[in-house]
Amino acid sequence: MRLSQFHLATVKETPADAEIVSHQLMLRAGMLRKLAAGIYTWTPLGLRILRKVEAVVREEMERSGAIEMLMPSIQPRELWEETGRWKKFGGQLLKLQDRKKQFFCYGPTHEEVITDFARNELKSYRQLPVNFFQIQTKFRDEIRPRFGVMRAREFLMKDAYSFHLDQECLAREYRNMFATYTRIFTRLGLRFRAVKADTGAIGGQASYEFHVLADSGEDAIVFASESDYAANIEMAQAKPSNALRESPTEPLYKQPTPTQKTCEAIAELLNLPLCKTVKSIALMSGSEFILALLRGDHTLNEIKLARRLNLTEYRMANEEDIDHYLGTTPGFIGPLSPHRPIRVVADLEVANMANFVVGANQTGFHYSGVNWGRDLPEPEQIADIRNVVAGDLAPDGGGYLSIIRGIEVGHIFQLGSQYAESMHAVVTDDQGHARTPLMGCYGIGISRIVAAAIEQNHDAAGIIWPTSMAPWSVAICPINTQHGTKVQDAAESLYQDLQNRNIEVVLDNRGLRPGPMFSDMELIGIPQRIVVSERGLKQGLYEYRARHRPDNEYLDYTTLLERIQT
RNA sequence: CGGGGCGUAGCGCAGCCUGGUAGCGCACCACAAUGGGGUUGUGGGGGUCGCGAGUUCGAUUCUCGCCGCCCCGACCA
């Protein structure tokens, strides 16, 4: 590519609303232009990179045996009503109407469409197993789109759906996809980690998320120091300490705490460690009042809570509820002597505490020296409902847990039969009986990967592309071309030569001064740069520099060609 | 959806409080000089001041409504 024939659109100033570095650099490098909230145009440069990611994903999916197809982005309401998701998917589903007032949605995912396809196409067990994939634009009407293409409303995704007669076969494909994803992210040059995850709205049993590791990641991921245990914070468990509960030694005492409403303030007032306090979280599920108890230094994991208590819907209690059930005001609530009967759920750790502090259900007071069995009944329900913290014991005994940030770029699920069942997809088995196939589903956020890669690979000058994603692998920069044609000719012939060798090369023939030219090439992250200059040519030398290194190498033509990596 | 903020040239911003038809930097165009890290000079083009109503002799400026965008929170494959 000659840059004079390309639309390079770098800008000096960072638009004010770009918060994270990948968004800023994608804008400055001119890969992206915003059209509306969470909706972006990919420029020619951006598209080259997006296509690179796509190509790697496509190649590896095909190598794994999956078959590419393309489903529509617009989907009819009827399909979504068959699975109940027209309502259940919620506000993220963008609904549309055509001229006949028929309802459609812009596909946020394609389980319905593929299952419809499968029930029409797949008749016999002989056609199974099969794994269909597509690379398609999706739309999810995110509550708060942010960080550019990292959390956009419109985005490019690879999604794959597999069909199987039995669980064992599904599990085999699931492992196959795990291996495929590992190859994909490795080839893309990303530092990543696979973690156990919640299955969320898509449903199903087993699920792994693939996270690119980056401090700016929106997800917290947990891993063990001495084993390969890794899980999303939503799923991560800690091994409860097997120490026996201490025996009650302190008397129950009502402490005046006139203004202390938080565990932190109580701990400070009473000069106690935070872990001797218990925080009470008041919830309403339907007409039931639930008090969830957590150690003062822990936080509630709402996903675990909903799961363990089998709650489909709940909300935080408001002041009225608290007054009604506990007869007090927020900040002083606790499980002792509620005004009316309530349901108490204690976290595993709380159930094992002794001589602790809780709210007294009386404004301005907390109890200290509280003990289970003596001052209040043993908790009626004990469950793991907290977020793990760094330093907790790993659940498999593999040392201690650490928490790092990650960007979710892939997710694999064993969906099971729910979609096939609700949409009546069946195949005939070798006995001639109709069987409901089991499904797996496997997603990769193509556009998100581009942003994630930048989060991991950049410096003060700009992006540093992993070779597999770079828009070009080499940039040729002719310098001071105004004194005759020597430099230009040499650059041109080098350009031709590299092209003949199938190296993706860009020639910066825009006639810029060296400063702007270099900084553009650095900003857009071309991994290798060759400077052609009069002064170098006199000695028969070219100046070679790798993007991730600060120093130049002066090489003759033969060595230069050897030095260049494809 | 709740709270906060912002909409003035392609981008970044000033002007608004105290009404009198708009300015700066970058970018863009032309010419000239310069030529190894965003060079310099001269000249130039570009804005119904988000939209609508109201107040006023007069509204970018004051008031109300709407729309869009951003941040925090809730939420989320």
Side-chain angles (χ1 to χ4, degrees), chain A residues 500-513:
Chain A
N500 293 340
R501 289 163 197 265
N502 278 326
I503 291 166
E504 288 199 287
V505 55
V506 62
L507 172 63
D508 193 345
N509 60 345
R510 294 176 297 171
L512 293 187
R513 302 166 65 90

Side-chain angles (χ1 to χ4, degrees), chain A residues 67 69 71 110-133 160-174 177 413 415-421 423-427 435-442:
Chain A
I67 314 165
M69 62 185 293
M71 291 178 260
H110 283 71
E111 282 81 10
E112 280 79 3
V113 180
I114 194 71
T115 307
D116 178 64
F117 179 76
R119 69 181 164 187
N120 293 325
E121 305 287 326
L122 302 178
K123 302 294 183 190
S124 158
Y125 76 97
R126 290 171 189 274
Q127 292 168 289
L128 303 187
V130 67
N131 189 348
F132 295 111
F133 79 98
Y161 307 88
S162 66
F163 295 85
H164 313 267
L165 212 52
D166 57 54
Q167 175 59 33
E168 192 210 330
C169 181
L170 170 59
R172 204 180 312 129
E173 182 62 6
Y174 182 73
M177 282 298 113
F413 297 84
L415 281 182
S417 59
Q418 51 172 322
Y419 290 95
E421 237 161 54
M423 296 183 65
H424 310 295
V426 288
V427 294
R435 295 264 299 270
T436 304
L438 297 175
M439 287 173 67
C441 112
Y442 320 94

Side-chain angles (χ1 to χ4, degrees), chain A residues 266-308:
Chain A
I266 303 289
E268 199 187 326
L269 178 77
L270 302 179
N271 198 22
L272 286 169
L274 198 51
C275 64
K276 292 300 285 182
T277 64
V278 167
K279 70 171 85 167
S280 309
I281 297 169
L283 306 158
M284 291 298 298
S285 178
S287 58
E288 188 180 29
F289 185 93
I290 302 170
L291 203 62
L293 303 181
L294 291 170
R295 211 170 75 185
D297 55 338
H298 288 155
T299 55
L300 179 67
N301 180 318
E302 299 194 33
I303 290 182
K304 285 184 183 177
L305 179 87
R307 261 185 189 225
R308 307 282 192 276

Side-chain angles (χ1 to χ4, degrees), chain A residues 8 10 25 29 31 45 49 454 457-459 461-467 469-475 506 518-529 546-548:
Chain A
L8 195 67
T10 56
L25 288 175
M31 294 169 59
L45 177 70
I49 294 142
I454 297 173
N457 301 287
H458 65 271
D459 63 13
I463 301 165
I464 308 172
W465 290 117
T467 315
M469 268 188 235
W472 298 281
S473 48
V474 181
V506 62
F518 294 163
S519 46
D520 267 357
M521 292 305 107
E522 282 158 12
L523 177 59
I524 69 174
I526 311 302
Q528 306 174 90
R529 181 184 79 194
R547 177 65 180 83
H548 62 274

Side-chain angles (χ1 to χ4, degrees), chain A residues 236 247 431 455:
Chain A
S247 41
Q431 308 293 313
E455 289 294 325

